[in-house]
Amino acid sequence: MCGAQGDAAAGRRWRLPGTLLLLLAYVGYVLLGSAAFWALEGPAERHSAQQLLQDKWELLGNYTCLRGPALERLIQGIIKAYKSGLTLQGNSTSLGRWDFVGSFFFSISAITTIGYGNLSPNTVSAQIFCIFFALFGIPLNLILLNRIGQLMLSGVQRCAKRLGEKLHWQVRGSGQGLGGSGTCALVTGLLLFLLLPPFLFSVIEGWTYEEGFYYSFVTLSTIGFGDYVIGMNPDLTYPSWYKNLVSVWILFGMAWLALVINLCITLLENSSDLCQCGKKKSKELEQELMDGNKNSTPRPDDVENCSSKDTKPEGRVQHLEI
């Protein structure tokens, strides 16, 4: 008994350092990818910005009345630059998508399989690196999300247990159903990852609360339509911590949403088992009723057998009388 408790305590002590090492490996891997994308895409972005400025001033110097192919080239260049994240701002261009912070956010969106689609590597070397980076990063991300989800659930269960002891509540610790701890995890995550972040997006991005809530769910569920993406408005100046904070929110929010999805799967499986059990019991009851009806209704053979059984004793009595 004591040995089993000691082994369980040692397992819990070992799980936390293992999770910490996994988290450090995850962060190091993302930082490595960020540095690689920064080094591979940064020069190309700066070259495109210089080329865009040069084309602009050459066009304005050589053509006083813009027409024909020159206008087409200008429009195509503006569209291509806008898709790459570049916009003209007076005598300069806006950069920032492929700086280190932007590369870090792209790395997170790649290995979490969100894939907004607003940003993608353009150079061949970056595209090849992205393949191998995602190939090993996606499994690492799934393992980390599973571990974080388990730690979050156990932490909420401990908090719910302590709160129940203080308030004399009966709190079920099982995560299989909507007990006290499951309800606490659901409500806490709903507040932290879906209800509060839209306020931050409304302040910094200028979105409505509904748009921020929509972006939150589309991001955490890895749907990633790309119609709403943070840090994309060239007229706004974003804080340096903004994308890093959103990256952390994405990581923990996906872990929480995975718990919610697992809970929904468990509830659906339990309801399916209940339905199958009910159908099985109803079939068994119907079969028992049918068997009972068969046993209660006399068959012709049974009538003959019964009559022969009744006549044999009479014959035996007559024989004895004779």
Side-chain angles (χ1 to χ4, degrees):
M1 192 73 179
C2 296
Q5 292 178 354
D7 294 338
R12 287 194 296 269
R13 287 196 299 269
W14 171 249
R15 181 178 296 179
L16 185 59
T19 304
L20 182 60
L21 291 176
L22 182 62
L23 180 61
L24 291 176
Y26 182 88
V27 173
Y29 187 81
V30 173
L31 291 175
L32 176 63
S34 303
F37 286 118
W38 183 26
L40 294 173
E41 287 292 332
E45 183 184 40
R46 291 189 290 272
H47 176 74
S48 299
Q50 294 175 359
Q51 187 66 37
L52 182 62
L53 282 175
Q54 182 179 355
D55 292 342
K56 174 187 174 181
W57 290 114
E58 287 181 358
L59 192 64
L60 293 177
N62 295 331
Y63 299 95
T64 57
C65 183
L66 196 60
R67 67 180 70 179
L71 179 60
E72 294 295 330
R73 286 195 300 271
L74 177 62
I75 294 175
Q76 292 177 2
I78 291 174
I79 293 174
K80 184 178 179 180
Y82 180 77
K83 289 182 177 180
S84 301
L86 300 175
T87 55
L88 290 172
Q89 295 178 340
N91 293 330
S92 62
T93 56
S94 64
L95 297 173
R97 287 198 182 184
W98 286 111
D99 58 1
F100 188 80
V101 176
S103 300
F104 182 84
F105 186 73
F106 171 77
S107 301
I108 290 291
S109 64
I111 63 176
T112 54
T113 68
I114 295 175
Y116 291 111
N118 65 309
L119 187 62
S120 58
N122 295 319
T123 61
V124 177
S125 56
Q127 291 173 350
I128 295 176
F129 176 79
C130 183
I131 294 174
F132 291 98
F133 177 74
L135 182 63
F136 295 98
I138 292 174
L140 178 61
N141 178 76
L142 294 176
I143 295 173
L144 181 63
L145 288 181
N146 185 30
R147 186 66 60 85
I148 290 177
Q150 292 177 357
L151 290 177
M152 289 171 61
L153 183 59
S154 62
V156 171
Q157 288 177 352
R158 286 195 297 268
C159 293
K161 184 178 180 180
R162 292 178 181 177
L163 184 62
E165 291 176 354
K166 290 181 179 181
L167 300 178
H168 303 287
W169 291 347
Q170 295 294 329
V171 179
R172 291 184 298 172
S174 176
Q176 299 299 325
L178 283 177
S181 59
T183 304
C184 289
L186 184 63
V187 174
T188 304
L190 185 66
L191 182 66
L192 291 179
F193 301 118
L194 283 181
L195 297 181
L196 291 181
F199 289 108
L200 177 64
F201 300 140
S202 299
V203 172
I204 296 182
E205 298 287 346
W207 298 340
T208 63
Y209 182 84
E210 292 77 10
E211 291 173 338
F213 185 84
Y214 167 77
Y215 166 78
S216 300
F217 179 78
V218 168
T219 297
L220 296 184
S221 60
T222 69
I223 297 174
F225 291 120
D227 48 354
Y228 289 91
V229 184
I230 64 166
M232 297 298 299
N233 193 343
D235 298 328
L236 298 177
T237 302
Y238 295 98
S240 58
W241 50 265
Y242 179 51
K243 285 188 176 181
N244 296 328
L245 179 63
V246 173
S247 299
V248 174
W249 165 75
I250 289 175
L251 185 62
F252 285 88
M254 287 181 62
W256 169 78
L257 193 60
L259 290 177
V260 175
I261 293 174
N262 289 332
L263 178 63
C264 294
I265 292 174
T266 302
L267 293 176
L268 291 175
E269 288 179 348
N270 291 337
S271 62
S272 177
D273 293 338
L274 289 175
C275 292
Q276 292 179 358
C277 183
K279 290 180 179 179
K280 184 177 180 181
K281 288 184 177 179
S282 63
K283 288 182 179 180
E284 291 178 354
L285 181 60
E286 183 180 355
Q287 186 67 31
E288 290 178 358
L289 292 175
M290 292 177 63
D291 294 339
N293 292 331
K294 290 179 180 179
N295 294 330
S296 61
T297 303
R299 292 178 298 177
D301 297 338
D302 295 337
V303 175
E304 294 178 356
N305 293 332
C306 292
S307 61
S308 61
K309 289 180 181 178
D310 294 339
T311 56
K312 284 181 180 179
E314 294 177 357
R316 191 177 297 118
V317 172
Q318 294 175 357
H319 179 73
L320 290 174
E321 290 178 353
I322 295 173

